[in-house]
Amino acid sequence: MRVGYGRSVFERLLPIILGRDVSGEVVAVGSEVKSVCVGQQVFGALHPTAIRGTYTDYAILSQDEEASAIPFAALTAWRALNGTARITEGQRILVIGGGGAVGFSAIQFAVAAGCPVTTTCGSQSIERMLAAGAEQAVDYLSEDYELSIKGKFDAVLDTIGVAETERMGISFLKRGGHYMTLQGEAASLSDKLGLTLGLPAATVFLLKKQIQYRVVNGIEYSWIFMRADIEGLTEIRKLCEAGKMKIPVDKTFPITQVSEAHEAKDKRIVQGKVVLEFD
Ligand SMILES: NC(=O)c1ccc[n+]([C@@H]2O[C@H](COP(=O)([O-])OP(=O)(O)OC[C@H]3O[C@@H](n4cnc5c(N)ncnc54)[C@H](OP(=O)(O)O)[C@@H]3O)[C@@H](O)[C@H]2O)c1
């Protein structure tokens, strides 16, 4: 967003406050809020289009968003596996990019649901993937890594979503399986063409791909967008409490160093999640 992603929505609303994930203490509630009370410790995630983000001392969330949870990344993974592919025990899942926050959440969801998981990740992430219960973790920088991936899958979550990973993901699906990418074109086409042309163009683009993949490969193709939903938050909280879901935090920055924190992610100096802390 800082470099212009989503400008078709956000440009006319500038200045906006960045940030989606939040944790802290409830200081006030609306008159109809029943699910949380003042003083309670909560985690949450704002909607992707929120303009008053969470890089602030005080954030405003709707009741749904307020339920305790590990937020944005886990909700995105939940939306893919449970909202779209509706995975069931025993189904085989391939997570492309398990080293990232969404991919790692997806692995933990799938393992908790009793699904065998294969993932691609950097060599430094392999041990973490296996410890989280993945059956196989393959280094995406090793030569011919695709040859090491065995069998076909019921669902593929592609957190990278470039042409190469899409081709690979599709080729590993069983007929009737789901390919899900996090890199839907709705925002990029709207940013390029403006909202009025961009959104219909994205819909046509998506429909064309869905029809093409259904006819040629017999698979379902979807773009995944994070949504805060109460069922997902509840499940995530349960898994966290049972120690079955963890998102490692790599580094903490004070809120006054937001730009340094972004730079550390942009330049890949820090691999995992970054947390901004308030005094
Ligand atoms: N659509 C949505 O609603 C939504 C929601 C959240 C995020 N996203 C997008 O989804 C993407 C992932 O988000 P994230 O928060 O999980 O990112 P992240 O935590 O920054 O993770 C990125 C990871 O991808 C891995 N990687 C890079 N290239 C790879 C490749 N060719 N094959 C396999 N793994 C590769 C790296 O893992 P290693 O460390 O193992 O090398 C890296 O750590 C981002 O582009 C983000 O903007 C979309």
Side-chain angles (χ1 to χ4, degrees):
M1 288 168 74
R2 177 174 41 74
V3 297
Y5 176 85
R7 73 171 70 80
S8 56
V9 174
F10 295 116
E11 196 163 33
R12 60 208 146 90
L13 302 169
L14 292 172
I16 60 169
I17 302 171
L18 298 180
R20 292 290 171 262
D21 291 326
V22 62
S23 73
E25 187 180 311
V26 177
V27 292
V29 293
S31 57
E32 295 189 4
V33 171
K34 301 276 181 285
S35 60
V36 290
C37 53
V38 171
Q40 197 176 337
Q41 296 290 325
V42 291
F43 293 83
L46 287 177
H47 190 269
T49 57
I51 55 168
R52 293 173 55 114
T54 57
Y55 290 4
T56 56
D57 292 295
Y58 299 96
I60 303 171
L61 290 89
S62 80
Q63 241 188 129
D64 267 5
E65 294 161 336
E66 271 171 338
S68 301
I70 285 183
F72 209 89
L75 280 167
T76 307
W78 168 266
R79 181 114 180 96
L81 297 184
N82 294 76
T84 304
R86 297 176 188 277
I87 59 167
T88 51
E89 193 177 343
Q91 287 192 324
R92 299 193 72 222
I93 315 296
L94 173 63
V95 176
I96 300 175
V102 180
F104 195 50
S105 304
I107 292 172
Q108 296 173 90
F109 272 133
V111 167
C115 298
V117 181
T118 295
T119 188
T120 62
C121 62
S123 55
Q124 77 287 355
S125 306
I126 288 180
E127 225 168 274
R128 180 162 58 93
M129 304 297 105
L130 298 176
E135 250 181 13
Q136 194 186 13
V138 181
D139 177 2
Y140 63 88
L141 289 178
S142 64
E143 219 176 299
D144 293 334
Y145 74 97
E146 287 181 41
L147 296 177
S148 328
I149 301 173
K150 301 281 175 252
K152 296 269 183 182
F153 297 86
D154 297 283
V156 172
L157 176 61
D158 185 354
T159 72
I160 311 303
V162 295
E164 189 207 326
T165 56
E166 181 170 321
R167 179 202 46 76
M168 178 181 88
I170 301 280
S171 74
F172 277 112
L173 271 175
K174 294 177 186 168
R175 281 191 88 75
H178 285 266
Y179 170 85
M180 299 167 286
T181 175
L182 298 187
Q183 312 298 342
E185 305 278 344
S188 55
L189 282 171
S190 300
D191 289 346
K192 208 159 91 188
L193 306 172
L195 269 184
T196 330
L197 288 178
L199 283 182
T203 308
V204 171
F205 184 77
L206 174 62
L207 275 171
K208 257 175 82 177
K209 279 202 145 186
Q210 285 178 327
I211 293 167
Q212 177 203 327
Y213 280 132
R214 199 170 294 154
V215 171
V216 178
N217 307 79
I219 60 120
E220 299 299 320
Y221 171 95
S222 313
W223 291 346
I224 299 301
F225 297 102
M226 176 272 182
R227 202 176 69 183
D229 80 79
I230 199 76
E231 196 195 337
L233 287 167
T234 307
E235 184 64 23
I236 291 162
R237 180 174 53 76
K238 279 188 202 155
L239 290 178
C240 290
E241 284 171 357
K244 293 180 179 171
M245 174 157 288
K246 293 176 188 141
I247 306 281
V249 172
D250 239 356
K251 195 161 165 57
T252 301
F253 289 87
I255 187 70
T256 48
Q257 290 178 12
V258 168
S259 56
E260 286 87 344
H262 282 198
E263 195 175 283
K265 281 300 288 179
D266 285 351
K267 295 189 173 161
R268 302 198 66 186
I269 298 164
V270 173
Q271 302 288 339
K273 274 279 179 198
V274 161
V275 166
L276 297 174
E277 228 171 27
F278 290 82
D279 195 342

